[in-house]
Amino acid sequence: MIQPLVPRLAIIGAGLIGSSLARAAREKHLAGTLVVADADPAVCERVRQLGFADVVTQDAGEAAEGSDIVVVAVPVGASGKVAEVVGPRLKPGAILSDVGSVKGFVVEAMAPHVPAHAHLIPAHPVAGTEFSGPDAGFATLFENRWCIVTPPEGADPQAVARIVGLWRAAGANVETMSAQHHDLVLAITSHVPHLIAYNIVGTAAHLEETLTSEVIKFSAGGFRDFTRIASSDPTMWRDVFLTNRDAVLEMLGRFTEDLTALQRAIRYGDGDVLFEHFARTRAIRRSIIEQGQETAAPDFGRRAAEKPKHEDS
Amino acid sequence: MIQPLVPRLAIIGAGLIGSSLARAAREKHLAGTLVVADADPAVCERVRQLGFADVVTQDAGEAAEGSDIVVVAVPVGASGKVAEVVGPRLKPGAILSDVGSVKGFVVEAMAPHVPAHAHLIPAHPVAGTEFSGPDAGFATLFENRWCIVTPPEGADPQAVARIVGLWRAAGANVETMSAQHHDLVLAITSHVPHLIAYNIVGTAAHLEETLTSEVIKFSAGGFRDFTRIASSDPTMWRDVFLTNRDAVLEMLGRFTEDLTALQRAIRYGDGDVLFEHFARTRAIRRSIIEQGQETAAPDFGRRAAEKPKHEDS
C-alpha cells in the first residue's frame, strides 16, 4: 500500500473551502485518516451524510490530537480562538495551517497559541465560489488555482515543504511570499473588488422600491455579475475587512482617486480620456486569459454552451 | 409559404448586437430580405463569409431604401450621423429603430432626420457579451433577455407593435417605458457597474509593475470578474458615458456616498455595519436568480460543469 501524504489530516471548519479540501484529500487519497471538525452540530451531521471524512467531531482539540497537519478553515476573525483550543493539543512536529484570506492578522492571532514543538505555516488558496457550507464544496475547486503560502520568518523549511506539497497534491499551483505582501496583493485583487460589488448592490437596494425591482429585472446589463460577488459569505467578508484594514483603505483610496478622475471626464465630456482608459483595461483581461486563470468563453459561458449548435458558419 | 414578419429588414452595423439580430432573424425566418450594412469593408467581407445576410453593403442609405424596418446597431455617438444618411431614404410607413444603451440622446440625435411619413421607435436589448464584431454574435443572445422599447410621445401604436413583435420573435421579453426612465434604470444596472469595473482594472494597472503582474496571477479572488466587464468595447462605452451623463453622475454620486460609509465602517472597525450590509445584498441576488435572469451555478459555471462527476454524495 502507498504511504499517504499525511498520515492524519485534520480540517477545522467544514465550509466551502474546508469541505472542498476534505473532498480533494479524499479523492486523491492524501490522508491516512481524515478528520473534520465543525463547531456546528448540524454541519457535523451533514458531513457525516456526505461521507467525505473518516472522523467527524465538534471538538477541534480532539481533531488536532495526534494529527500531522491541522488546517483551520474558519472565518479569519475566529482563527485565534480556534488556535487557542488546538494549540495545546498539537503533537511534536505537527503543523498548524489555515486558509484565510488575510495573513498578517492570522499570524498575529494564531502564533501565540502554537507550542515551540509545532509549526505555524499559514496558507491561502485563492479559489472559491459565492456559496457557503459543506454542500457547496467540491474536489476540483483548487485545480489550476493559486495557493499562496506565507511562512513566518525563520519557519522550518521541511514544514513549509509539507504544506506546499499538500496544496500541490490538491491540484493548486503554489507561490510563497510574506504575509504583508500577500495582504497588499489580495486587497486589490479580491478585497476591494468585493467591497465595491457589495456597495453597488447596496446602492441599488436603497433606490425607491419600484426602481429596485427594475434593477433586478434588467440586471443582465452588468449589475448581475456584481450581485454574484456580493452574495458571498457575510461573516467571512466582515472579518476580511476588519483584519486587513490598512491595505484595504490604501487600495480603496487609489480606487476612489481614479474614479474621481473618470467622473470628471464624464462631467466635462472628455471622450478621449474615457476611450484611452477603456482601451487599456482590455490588455489586462488578455493577460489573465493567457495565464489560464480564466476562459475566454463569452458571458461566463452562460450562453457559450448553446452557441455552437446555433452558429451560422 | 408563410409571410415573413418583416418583408425587408435592414440592420446597420454588424457588431455583436447587429450580427446577433441578423442571425436570429435568419434562423427564425423573420425577414423576407435581410440586408446588413457596415461602413467597414472588412466587416462586410466577413459578413459575406459568415453568410447570415441576403444583401451586404457598405452603404447604409442603400440598405434603408425600400426597407420596412431599419435597425441602427452602431455606437450611440454615431446614431445621429447614420440617421442623417438613412432618414431621407426611408419609404412611407417605414420604421427606424436602434439598439443603443442610451435612449434620450438617441431620440434627440435621430429624430430630426426622420421624415414625417416614417416612424422612430427606439429599442434597447439588454443583452451582450464582452466581445465585439460580426464573429461575436450568436442567434440566441436575446433569448429570455429583456428588450426595452421607448416609444416617443405620440408614437404610432402599430409601429410600436411591430418593433415589439420583432424583438419577441427574436426571443426577447419586451417592456416599454419612457426614454428618460430607461436611462436612469440603465445607469444603475449597467453604466455605473461598467464604469467601476473599468476603474478598478485601471487602478490595478497603475500599481508598480511587479504588483500588477501579481494582480493578474491571483485574479481569481474576485478581480477576474471585473476584467471581463472592463474588456467591453471602448467606443461603445465612451459614447454611453458621454450621452447619459446626468443619470450616470447621479447614480455615481449615490455609489460614492455609500462607499464612503462602508470605508468609514472599516476604518473604525464597525463590524455590525459591514455584516448587516453584506447580509442584505444576498437577497437581491436571490431575486435575480428567481426571475430567471441568472443561473445559480457557482462561479459562473466555470467549475459547475466539472462538479457532478467529482461530487462525493
Side-chain angles (χ1 to χ4, degrees):
Chain A
M1 203 184 136
I2 305 161
Q3 184 76 5
L5 193 69
V6 187
R8 184 180 156 104
L9 172 65
I11 297 170
I12 316 296
L16 169 67
I17 302 295
S19 77
S20 291
L21 181 59
R23 285 176 167 95
R26 178 73 154 210
E27 190 173 288
K28 293 160 192 276
H29 310 289
L30 306 183
T33 303
L34 179 57
V35 188
V36 169
D38 200 288
D40 183 339
V43 170
C44 286
E45 186 46 37
R46 186 64 190 139
V47 172
R48 277 186 204 102
Q49 288 165 1
L50 293 168
F52 54 69
D54 300 310
V55 180
V56 183
T57 173
Q58 268 186 263
D59 184 342
E62 187 193 314
E65 190 93 47
S67 288
D68 301 276
I69 295 179
V70 179
V71 178
V72 176
V74 301
V76 166
S79 56
K81 228 170 165 176
V82 171
E84 197 180 341
V85 172
V86 162
R89 312 286 281 269
L90 292 172
K91 71 176 185 184
I95 304 169
L96 183 62
S97 189
D98 79 315
V99 300
S101 302
V102 177
K103 297 268 69 94
F105 175 87
V106 161
V107 173
E108 259 175 61
M110 293 177 89
H113 306 293
V114 181
H117 64 248
H119 309 281
L120 174 65
I121 312 290
H124 174 208
V126 186
T129 75
E130 66 277 27
F131 296 98
S132 326
D135 284 285
F138 49 101
T140 57
L141 178 61
F142 309 112
E143 260 172 36
N144 201 28
R145 293 287 159 248
W146 286 98
C147 180
I148 303 175
V149 176
T150 62
E153 250 180 273
D156 177 59
Q158 282 196 309
V160 175
R162 290 194 76 184
I163 292 299
V164 169
L166 175 63
W167 283 105
R168 288 219 172 108
N173 305 314
V174 179
E175 184 84 18
T176 62
M177 61 177 72
S178 73
Q180 196 198 359
H181 190 68
H182 167 278
D183 289 354
L184 192 64
V185 171
L186 269 287
I188 187 76
T189 57
S190 179
H191 306 171
V192 169
H194 273 80
L195 191 72
I196 64 181
Y198 275 123
N199 188 64
I200 194 161
V201 177
T203 301
H206 295 146
L207 298 171
E208 306 82 273
E209 205 172 305
T210 53
L211 210 48
T212 299
S213 74
E214 286 177 312
V215 166
I216 290 166
K217 200 163 176 178
F218 305 116
S219 61
F223 183 76
R224 177 179 66 180
D225 298 350
F226 288 75
T227 64
R228 188 189 70 86
I229 299 181
S231 68
S232 300
D233 186 57
T235 305
M236 171 192 157
W237 283 98
R238 177 200 60 198
D239 287 2
V240 164
F241 295 114
L242 293 179
T243 58
N244 195 25
R245 192 185 66 172
D246 293 348
V248 166
L249 291 179
E250 161 65 21
M251 289 302 171
L252 204 48
R254 295 186 188 212
F255 171 83
T256 305
E257 279 168 32
D258 291 345
L259 188 61
T260 303
L262 284 183
Q263 182 169 339
R264 202 168 170 278
I266 292 171
R267 191 177 298 281
Y268 294 107
D270 192 341
D272 291 345
V273 164
L274 296 174
F275 182 86
E276 207 183 288
H277 185 107
F278 299 166
R280 229 179 12 230
T281 52
R282 268 192 159 173
I284 291 219
R285 172 78 181 168
R286 236 176 350 250
S287 305
I288 288 175
I289 292 169
E290 278 163 17
Q291 295 193 16
Q293 291 301 298
E294 171 66 300
T295 65
D299 206 22
F300 289 117
R302 282 192 191 95
R303 294 271 148 184
E306 303 165 32
K307 197 178 167 187
K309 66 175 187 267
H310 295 297
E311 193 71 304
D312 286 86
S313 64
Chain B
M1 202 185 137
I2 304 162
Q3 185 76 4
L5 193 67
V6 187
R8 184 178 156 107
L9 172 65
I11 297 171
I12 315 296
L16 168 67
I17 301 295
S19 77
S20 291
L21 180 59
R23 284 175 168 95
R26 176 75 153 208
E27 191 173 286
K28 293 159 191 273
H29 310 288
L30 306 183
T33 303
L34 179 57
V35 187
V36 169
D38 200 289
D40 184 340
V43 170
C44 286
E45 186 45 38
R46 186 64 189 139
V47 172
R48 278 186 202 101
Q49 286 165 2
L50 293 168
F52 54 70
D54 299 310
V55 179
V56 184
T57 172
Q58 269 185 263
D59 184 343
E62 187 193 314
E65 189 94 46
S67 289
D68 301 276
I69 295 180
V70 179
V71 178
V72 176
V74 301
V76 166
S79 55
K81 228 169 164 177
V82 171
E84 196 179 343
V85 172
V86 162
R89 311 285 282 268
L90 292 172
K91 71 176 184 184
I95 303 170
L96 183 63
S97 189
D98 79 315
V99 300
S101 302
V102 176
K103 299 267 67 96
F105 175 85
V106 161
V107 173
E108 257 176 61
M110 293 177 90
H113 305 293
V114 181
H117 65 250
H119 309 282
L120 175 64
I121 312 291
H124 175 209
V126 186
T129 74
E130 67 276 28
F131 296 98
S132 325
D135 284 284
F138 49 100
T140 57
L141 178 62
F142 310 111
E143 259 171 34
N144 201 29
R145 294 288 159 246
W146 286 98
C147 180
I148 304 174
V149 176
T150 62
E153 248 180 271
D156 177 59
Q158 281 196 309
V160 175
R162 290 193 75 183
I163 292 299
V164 168
L166 174 64
W167 284 105
R168 289 218 171 110
N173 305 314
V174 178
E175 184 85 18
T176 62
M177 60 178 71
S178 74
Q180 199 199 354
H181 189 68
H182 167 279
D183 289 355
L184 192 66
V185 171
L186 269 288
I188 187 75
T189 57
S190 178
H191 305 171
V192 170
H194 273 80
L195 192 73
I196 65 182
Y198 275 123
N199 189 63
I200 194 160
V201 177
T203 301
H206 295 146
L207 297 171
E208 306 82 273
E209 206 172 306
T210 52
L211 209 50
T212 299
S213 73
E214 286 176 314
V215 167
I216 291 166
K217 201 164 175 177
F218 305 117
S219 61
F223 183 76
R224 177 178 67 178
D225 297 350
F226 288 75
T227 65
R228 188 188 72 85
I229 298 180
S231 68
S232 300
D233 185 57
T235 305
M236 174 193 155
W237 283 99
R238 176 200 61 196
D239 287 2
V240 164
F241 295 115
L242 293 179
T243 58
N244 196 23
R245 193 185 66 171
D246 293 347
V248 167
L249 291 178
E250 161 65 22
M251 289 302 171
L252 204 49
R254 296 185 187 211
F255 171 84
T256 305
E257 278 168 33
D258 290 344
L259 187 61
T260 303
L262 284 182
Q263 181 169 338
R264 202 168 169 278
I266 293 171
R267 189 176 302 278
Y268 294 106
D270 192 340
D272 291 345
V273 164
L274 296 174
F275 182 87
E276 206 183 289
H277 185 107
F278 300 165
R280 227 177 14 226
T281 53
R282 268 193 159 172
I284 292 222
R285 172 79 181 166
R286 239 180 343 255
S287 304
I288 288 176
I289 291 169
E290 278 163 16
Q291 295 194 15
Q293 291 299 299
E294 171 67 300
T295 67
D299 207 22
F300 289 117
R302 282 190 192 95
R303 296 269 149 185
E306 304 165 32
K307 197 179 166 186
K309 63 175 190 265
H310 295 297
E311 193 70 307
D312 286 85
S313 61

